[in-house]
Amino acid sequence: MNDTDADHWLAQNRDDWNERAEHWDAISEVNAVAPDRGADLDRTWTALGLRPGARLLDAGCGSGQFALAFAARGARVAAVDLSPAMIERARAHAAARGLAVDWRLGDLSRLVDPLAVYDAIHARVSLQFVPDVPAALREFRRILRPGGRLFASVPGALSPIYRNSWRRHLQPAPPAANFLLPWELEALLTALGWTLRDGWGDYGADLSGQSNPISTETAAPLDRGLRQAAATTWAVVAS
């Protein structure tokens, strides 16, 4: 993809997410207090090796719920998103909760941070909206400190999130997506010199409430590739 096409992709995504910001934020606020959110945060915090005072980048932060949750646990958080409407909502949540986060507008493949400044990067369900995934992963490597860890998650092939992916054959599907799959993410990370540390699936409903016919229990005995395909989202931790 050339620079002109990438810029068009990003502009489309910016416009689409600006339009979706109010609805996305409302759903995300409900999910932020869901019964399973604490366990999810615990697992991610531990997998990333975080501790109070650690520096974390939330890459593709949306309206800020995860960034704020990490900040509430004592991390020093910077958060970047392409959508001004999302960042505006995130700033309002931070002010209301008295939490400090460095909110930024930006493209994940062209970050402004200097070399090796973060202990961890959190990229939850964001890389499928990047026009150049290898460029984003190289940027993540550049800004991570030696030994730092990346959490990245993408939907599985059968995920309710990707249920309309077939539409890409007829017309661009807003928001623009590359439909990156879990095994592709792992292969890209390995090819770019990362070491895979952990991985797991979530089999709950997507944020729109569309359920997954596969549960955590029914997925457990399956082959890893099948578990990845069935996952609503699959998380990968790498260093």
Side-chain angles (χ1 to χ4, degrees):
M1 184 178 294
N2 60 40
D3 288 345
T4 299
D5 289 340
D7 288 343
H8 176 74
W9 173 301
L10 293 170
Q12 180 185 342
N13 259 329
R14 184 181 300 111
D15 292 344
D16 288 334
W17 285 111
N18 282 340
E19 290 179 7
R20 297 177 66 185
E22 182 177 1
H23 179 63
W24 179 269
D25 186 30
I27 295 172
S28 297
E29 282 291 281
V30 171
N31 279 274
V33 294
D36 60 349
R37 178 55 62 89
D40 183 12
L41 287 167
D42 287 343
R43 186 170 193 176
T44 305
W45 181 273
T46 300
L48 288 174
L50 292 172
R51 63 194 184 284
R55 293 198 65 184
L56 170 74
L57 177 68
D58 190 11
C61 64
S63 48
Q65 284 75 18
F66 278 98
L68 291 169
F70 288 121
R73 292 181 175 220
R76 292 182 294 159
V77 181
V80 59
D81 199 89
L82 191 65
S83 163
M86 290 288 195
I87 291 294
E88 180 180 355
R89 289 178 173 276
R91 290 185 204 271
H93 291 315
R97 296 166 196 178
L99 291 169
V101 172
D102 178 12
W103 304 106
R104 304 175 188 170
L105 285 171
D107 165 15
L108 300 188
S109 61
R110 291 174 283 193
L111 298 169
V112 300
D113 302 279
L115 180 71
V117 292
Y118 292 106
D119 299 296
I121 297 171
H122 177 256
R124 185 177 295 256
V125 200
S126 57
L127 285 173
Q128 74 266 29
F129 299 114
V130 173
D132 188 340
V133 177
L137 294 177
R138 291 187 186 100
E139 278 290 85
F140 290 170
R141 170 60 78 198
R142 181 183 66 80
I143 64 176
L144 264 182
R145 290 174 176 162
R149 291 197 169 192
L150 165 68
F151 170 103
S153 66
V154 293
L158 302 178
S159 170
I161 298 171
Y162 278 175
R163 65 187 180 277
N164 291 323
S165 63
W166 62 272
R167 292 183 181 275
R168 72 191 186 279
H169 296 291
L170 300 177
Q171 59 188 26
N178 58 48
F179 298 104
L180 181 66
L181 295 169
W183 50 86
E184 294 176 326
L185 173 58
E186 290 182 341
L188 279 170
L189 286 165
T190 300
L192 293 172
W194 295 76
T195 300
L196 303 180
R197 299 294 182 184
D198 202 354
W200 64 86
D202 170 73
Y203 300 88
D206 67 8
L207 283 187
S208 70
Q210 181 80 15
S211 63
N212 190 328
I214 304 296
S215 67
T216 302
E217 292 72 27
T218 55
L222 299 177
D223 170 83
R224 177 182 174 87
L226 293 175
R227 285 186 281 124
Q228 289 182 327
T232 304
T233 61
W234 184 271
V236 177
V237 177
S239 63

